[in-house]
C-alpha cells in the first residue's frame, strides 16, 4: 500500500494548481457499458479485456446548474475524491459490498461485509493507473460453502481464514493495473488481476473467474490487426502438500505465455487466433526452472507447434470469431485444441486425448425495439480431460480454479441472459442448464476435474462428454438494482437465485435471496 499512500500525498499537495482546461479521462470499459463497442458502426476489437478507452464525457457534459449539497453530489454523481487538472486526473472511491441473505427454508443466514477502496489516475493521455484493495468477511450459501471449504478459496477472491468460530470466512484480494500508450500503435500494461479473451459470457480460452495474478501485456495495433503477447505467473495451490523442498517459498508457481492475433477482416467479421503455453517454475522434487526466457519470443504459434511433438510443456491453440449479423446482433464462437490428432478426431472412437472445446453464442441489443433491452444466448461444450495435464504443476489452472470455464471439463452448457436498463434502474435475469460427468469417488477420473492427472483415465477409447456420474445442473438468477452513483456503480440490489443439482448419488436444491448495498464493476461467477 506504500505506493498508494505516496500517490495520494503527492496529489493532495499539488491539487491546488487546478487549470480550467480538463483532460480526457482514460478508463477501462466494464461489463455494463461495453455494449457501446458492439453497437458502433466500426468493427472494434472487443475480444481482449480489459479494454481501455478515452472518456471525454467530463469535458463536454452540460454542468448541473441546480444547487446540490456536497453529500448529494458525492452520493449520486461524483467520485468520493476528484482531482482534475490539465495534466492529470485522479479519482478515489470507497467500494462497499454489504449483503444479507436467506436460504429457502430460512435455516441459513448468509451475509457479506466488504470494505474496498480504489484509486484511478491518468497522467496525460498516455498513462493510466489503477489500484484496489478489498477486505472481506462472509458467510455463503451451502453449495458455495462446500466449494470454499474443499478448495480453500472464495471463487475469484483468493484464500480464506476461519471467521466466527469457523462458521464464516475472512479473505481479501487486490488488483492493480499500470498502462502506458506511447503511440496509437502500442500499449504496454503491467497488472495484477484478471484478463478475458472472447466475446461471450464464458471464455474457453482465457477467463476472468479466478483469483488475481501478475502479468505483463504488450498490445500492438496496425490497421485492422491487433496483436497481443502476455506473460503471467500463476500459483498451484494443490502442490504445497508434497512440495517439501519448496515450502519456504509458499505454493509452487507456474508460468504462462499467451498470444492473441485479432483481425478485423471486414466491418462485420473478426477472426482471432490464440495460443498459450504453461510451464512449471519447478518440478515436484523442488528443482527450480524459473522463467523460461525462450518464451519471450512474441511470435504466435512458434512454440505451440511443438505440442504435437511431445513437448513437456502444456500447449493450447484456439480461435475466436464474431460476425455482425445485423446492426444490433452479433454472433460469436470459440474453438480450443488442447491436443489434436487428425486420425483420432475423425476416427470417431472417443480417444481420451481428443481434448477440445467449443462455444457458439449471440448478443442482440435493443431487442424487440425496446431500448437497452439486451439478450445473450450461449452454448459451451468441453470434452473430457481438456485443460488437464499429468500434474497440477502444469495444468490450465490458477489458485484451484480453471483459467477457462468454472465447470472444468467433460460438460455441455446452454445459458441465456437478459438485461434491461431504464435511467438508473437495472435488471438482469440468467438461466443456465448444464450436464456433466462427475467422478463417483476421488480415485476415479472421468475428465471433469482438471486438477486430476489425465493419465489416470479408465479407458483409452469410448470417452464422450457426460461420461461418468451423469449430473444435471440448473441455475437461475434474477437481479434488480437501483444505481445510486454510476461513477463507481454504487447500487441498492436485490437478487433471487435458484440452483438444482441432481445425479444418482445426490439431489440438492438451493434457493437464495440476497439484498445489499454494492459497489463493483467486476463480476463474480457463482453459477456453477
Amino acid at each position: 500500500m506504500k505506493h498508494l499512500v505516496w500517490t495520494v500525498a503527492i496529489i493532495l499537495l499539488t491539487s491546488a494548481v487546478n487549470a480550467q482546461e480538463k483532460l480526457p479521462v482514460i478508463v477501462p470499459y466494464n461489463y455494463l457499458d461495453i455494449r457501446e463497442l458492439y453497437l458502433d458502426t466500426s468493427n472494434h476489437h472487443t475480444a481482449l479485456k480489459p479494454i481501455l478507452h478515452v472518456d471525454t464525457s467530463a469535458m463536454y457534459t452540460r454542468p448541473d446548474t441546480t444547487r446540490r449539497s456536497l453529500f448529494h453530489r458525492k452520493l449520486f454523481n461524483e467520485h468520493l475524491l476528484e482531482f482534475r487538472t490539465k495534466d492529470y486526473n485522479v479519482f478515489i472511491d470507497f467500494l462497499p459490498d454489504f449483503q444479507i441473505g436467506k436460504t429457502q427454508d430460512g435455516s441459513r443466514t448468509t451475509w457479506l461485509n466488504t470494505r474496498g477502496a480504489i484509486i484511478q489516475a491518468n497522467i496525460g493521455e498516455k498513462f493510466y493507473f489503477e489500484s484496489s484493495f478489498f477486505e472481506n468477511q462472509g458467510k455463503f450459501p451451502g453449495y458455495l460453502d462446500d466449494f470454499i471449504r474443499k478448495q480453500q478459496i472464495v471463487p475469484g477472491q483468493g484464500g480464506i481464514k476461519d471467521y466466527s468460530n469457523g462458521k464464516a470466512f475472512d479473505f481479501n484480494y487486490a488488483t492493480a493495473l499500470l498502462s502506458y500508450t506511447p503511440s496509437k500503435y502500442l500499449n504496454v500494461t503491467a497488472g495484477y488481476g484478471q484478463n478475458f479473451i472472447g466475446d461471450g459470457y464464458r471464455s474457453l480460452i482465457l477467463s476472468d473467474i479466478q483469483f488475481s495474478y501478475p502479468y505483463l501485456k504488450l498490445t500492438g495495433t496496425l490497421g485492422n490487426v491487433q496483436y497481443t503477447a502476455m506473460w503471467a505467473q500463476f500459483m498451484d495451490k494443490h502442490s504445497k502438500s508434497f512440495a517439501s523442498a519448496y515450502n519456504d517459498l509458499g505454493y509452487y508457481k507456474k508460468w504462462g505465455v499467451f498470444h492473441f492475433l485479432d483481425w478485423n477482416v471486414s466491418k462485420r467479421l473478426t477472426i482471432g487466433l490464440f495460443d498459450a503455453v504453461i510451464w512449471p517454475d519447478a518440478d515436484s522434487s523442488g528443482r527450480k526452472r524459473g522463467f523460461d526466457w525462450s518464451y519471450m519470443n512474441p511470435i504466435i504459434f512458434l512454440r505451440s507447434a511443438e505440442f504435437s511433438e511431445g513437448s513437456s510443456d502444456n500447449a493450447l491453440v484456439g480461435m475466436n470469431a464474431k460476425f455482425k449479423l445485423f446492426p444490433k446482433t452479433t454472433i460469436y464462437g470459440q474453438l480450443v485444441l488442447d491436443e489434436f490428432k487428425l486420425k483420432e478426431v475423425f476416427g470417431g472412437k472417443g480417444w481420451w486425448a481428443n481434448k477440445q472445446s467449443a462455444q457458439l453464442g449471440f448478443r442482440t441489443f435493443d431487442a424487440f425495439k425496446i431500448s437497452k433491452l439486451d439478450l445473450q444466448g450461449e452454448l459451451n461444450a468441453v470434452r473430457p480431460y481438456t485443460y488437464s495435464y499429468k500434474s497440477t504443476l502444469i495444468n490450465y489452472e490458477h489458485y484451484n480454479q480453471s483459467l477457462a470455464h468454472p465447470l472444468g471439463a467433460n460438460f455441455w452448457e446452454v445459458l441465456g441472459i437478459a438485461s434491461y436498463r431504464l435511467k438508473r434502474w437495472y435488471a438482469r435475469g440468467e438461466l443456465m442448464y448444464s450436464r456433466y460427468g462427475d467422478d463417483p469417488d476421488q480415485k476415479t477420473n472421468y475428465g471433469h476435474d482438471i486438477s486430476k492427472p489425465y493419465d489416470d483415465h479408465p479407458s483409452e477409447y469410448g470417452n464422450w462428454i457426460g461420461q461418468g456420474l451423469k449430473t444435471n445442473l440448473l441455475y437461475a438468477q434474477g437481479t434488480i438494482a437501483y444505481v445510486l452513483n454510476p461513477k463507481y456503480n454504487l447500487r441498492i440490489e436485490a437478487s433471487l437465485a435458484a440452483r438444482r443439482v441432481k445425479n444418482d448419488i445426490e439431489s440438492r436444491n438451493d434457493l437464495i435471496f440476497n439484498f445489499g448495498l454494492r459497489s463493483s464493476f467486476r463480476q463474480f461467477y457463482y453459477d456453477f
Side-chain angles (χ1 to χ4, degrees):
M1 296 295 289
K2 185 183 293 184
H3 67 281
L4 177 61
V5 174
W6 277 107
T7 302
V8 173
I10 293 171
I11 292 166
L12 292 175
L13 289 173
T14 58
S15 61
V17 191
N18 289 330
Q20 293 183 352
E21 180 186 358
K22 291 181 180 179
L23 187 73
V25 182
I26 303 173
V27 294
Y29 277 108
N30 58 76
Y31 68 92
L32 292 176
D33 61 17
I34 201 169
R35 73 192 300 271
E36 299 172 12
L37 293 177
Y38 289 91
L39 289 174
D40 198 305
T41 54
S42 303
N43 193 7
H44 293 279
H45 297 283
T46 55
L48 184 64
K49 305 173 185 71
I51 304 171
L52 296 179
H53 71 113
V54 176
D55 179 14
T56 58
S57 60
M59 301 172 61
Y60 305 117
T61 302
R62 181 178 297 176
D64 186 357
T65 57
T66 307
R67 294 179 65 88
R68 305 288 190 185
S69 67
L70 178 65
F71 176 79
H72 185 281
R73 296 199 315 271
K74 297 302 178 184
L75 180 60
F76 293 105
N77 295 307
E78 297 179 359
H79 295 280
L80 180 62
L81 296 175
E82 295 187 3
F83 306 96
R84 299 178 185 267
T85 78
K86 67 177 181 179
D87 298 316
Y88 61 80
N89 296 289
V90 180
F91 310 108
I92 302 174
D93 290 301
F94 171 65
L95 303 181
D97 195 348
F98 304 136
Q99 298 182 54
I100 186 75
K102 279 283 187 181
T103 56
Q104 71 253 34
D105 57 2
S107 62
R108 185 179 184 88
T109 300
T110 62
W111 52 268
L112 182 66
N113 176 15
T114 295
R115 293 86 60 212
I118 185 171
I119 177 171
Q120 298 170 289
N122 66 280
I123 300 174
E125 297 182 21
K126 297 181 178 181
F127 177 85
Y128 174 76
F129 165 77
E130 176 183 301
S131 182
S132 64
F133 178 80
F134 300 86
E135 176 65 30
N136 319 265
Q137 292 84 38
K139 185 177 180 180
F140 295 86
Y143 80 98
L144 281 177
D145 187 89
D146 292 344
F147 175 90
I148 293 167
R149 293 183 189 278
K150 178 181 178 182
Q151 302 294 344
Q152 291 295 295
I153 59 165
V154 178
Q157 299 160 80
I160 59 169
K161 295 180 181 178
D162 281 341
Y163 184 79
S164 184
N165 296 321
K167 298 177 181 179
F169 306 104
D170 185 293
F171 57 101
N172 60 70
Y173 63 97
T175 66
L177 187 148
L178 182 64
S179 173
Y180 178 60
T181 308
S183 73
K184 65 179 182 179
Y185 304 108
L186 178 65
N187 173 264
V188 182
T189 298
Y192 183 72
Q194 299 82 22
N195 293 270
F196 188 98
I197 297 178
D199 290 280
Y201 174 66
R202 310 285 201 191
S203 176
L204 304 180
I205 294 176
L206 180 63
S207 187
D208 57 355
I209 66 172
Q210 63 288 123
F211 184 50
S212 300
Y213 53 85
Y215 63 89
L216 173 66
K217 183 165 57 178
L218 305 179
T219 301
T221 304
L222 184 62
N224 294 327
V225 176
Q226 184 183 79
Y227 183 70
T228 300
M230 185 178 77
W231 299 266
Q233 186 185 65
F234 306 113
M235 278 194 287
D236 176 21
K237 207 170 185 294
H238 299 283
S239 64
K240 194 169 184 177
S241 60
F242 63 80
S244 58
Y246 211 58
N247 270 346
D248 291 340
L249 300 178
Y251 299 113
Y252 264 122
K253 308 297 191 296
K254 51 187 171 183
W255 299 90
V257 58
F258 303 83
H259 302 114
F260 184 62
L261 176 66
D262 204 41
W263 177 30
N264 287 335
V265 181
S266 67
K267 289 186 176 181
R268 289 191 171 191
L269 176 64
T270 298
I271 296 176
L273 301 177
F274 158 84
D275 77 349
V277 180
I278 307 294
W279 72 94
D281 189 59
D283 60 28
S284 59
S285 65
R287 185 174 54 204
K288 192 168 177 63
R289 175 179 174 183
F291 184 83
D292 189 334
W293 289 96
S294 65
Y295 286 121
M296 283 301 294
N297 191 321
I299 305 301
I300 192 170
F301 299 139
L302 183 64
R303 294 295 301 235
S304 293
E306 297 184 3
F307 84 104
S308 61
E309 302 298 327
S311 170
S312 60
D313 295 335
N314 187 9
L316 296 87
V317 296
M319 181 178 72
N320 184 84
K322 69 173 182 180
F323 181 76
K324 185 171 284 190
L325 192 63
F326 303 110
K328 294 186 178 181
T329 300
T330 297
I331 57 175
Y332 59 85
Q334 290 184 337
L335 177 66
V336 174
L337 306 178
D338 189 2
E339 203 157 328
F340 184 83
K341 281 189 177 181
L342 192 64
K343 176 183 176 181
E344 296 291 356
V345 169
F346 289 99
K349 297 181 180 180
W351 185 45
W352 75 270
N354 283 341
K355 300 187 293 178
Q356 298 99 34
S357 58
Q359 176 187 88
L360 182 64
F362 74 90
R363 290 174 177 264
T364 185
F365 303 96
D366 301 331
F368 311 113
K369 298 183 179 180
I370 300 175
S371 177
K372 295 189 177 179
L373 173 61
D374 303 335
L375 303 177
Q376 183 174 10
E378 192 170 292
L379 172 66
N380 297 293
V382 181
R383 280 189 50 80
Y385 308 106
T386 307
Y387 308 117
S388 63
Y389 212 70
K390 296 177 182 179
S391 166
T392 57
L393 297 173
I394 198 174
N395 71 338
Y396 207 63
E397 187 181 43
H398 166 61
Y399 223 75
N400 287 10
Q401 281 194 280
S402 169
L403 288 171
H405 198 287
L407 286 176
N410 190 19
F411 72 90
W412 60 263
E413 170 197 58
V414 61
L415 63 87
I417 298 172
S419 63
Y420 177 66
R421 276 180 279 175
L422 178 63
K423 296 181 180 178
R424 295 200 177 196
W425 287 96
Y426 174 75
R428 180 184 184 275
E430 176 188 349
L431 182 63
M432 183 270 282
Y433 176 76
S434 176
R435 175 172 289 183
Y436 61 90
D438 207 350
D439 298 329
D441 52 61
Q442 289 297 317
K443 295 181 179 180
T444 310
N445 181 14
Y446 282 109
H448 175 60
D449 185 351
I450 68 171
S451 66
K452 291 184 176 181
Y454 62 43
D455 48 9
D456 287 344
H457 54 276
S459 59
E460 197 76 6
Y461 291 94
N463 296 278
W464 310 106
I465 292 178
Q467 67 178 14
L469 182 62
K470 290 180 173 57
T471 305
N472 297 310
L473 170 64
L474 179 66
Y475 182 91
Q477 183 178 38
T479 302
I480 187 168
Y482 181 78
V483 180
L484 297 171
N485 193 324
K487 294 292 186 181
Y488 51 101
N489 200 23
L490 179 67
R491 63 198 186 275
I492 299 173
E493 179 180 291
S495 69
L496 181 65
R499 178 182 181 271
R500 181 183 182 185
V501 61
K502 185 177 182 179
N503 55 38
D504 290 339
I505 294 179
E506 68 167 340
S507 179
R508 179 171 183 171
N509 296 287
D510 293 278
L511 185 67
I512 309 109
F513 173 74
N514 258 2
F515 179 80
L517 176 68
R518 311 191 65 194
S519 178
S520 174
F521 283 114
R522 187 184 169 195
Q523 295 188 101
F524 296 115
Y525 301 86
Y526 298 150
D527 49 353
F528 62 89

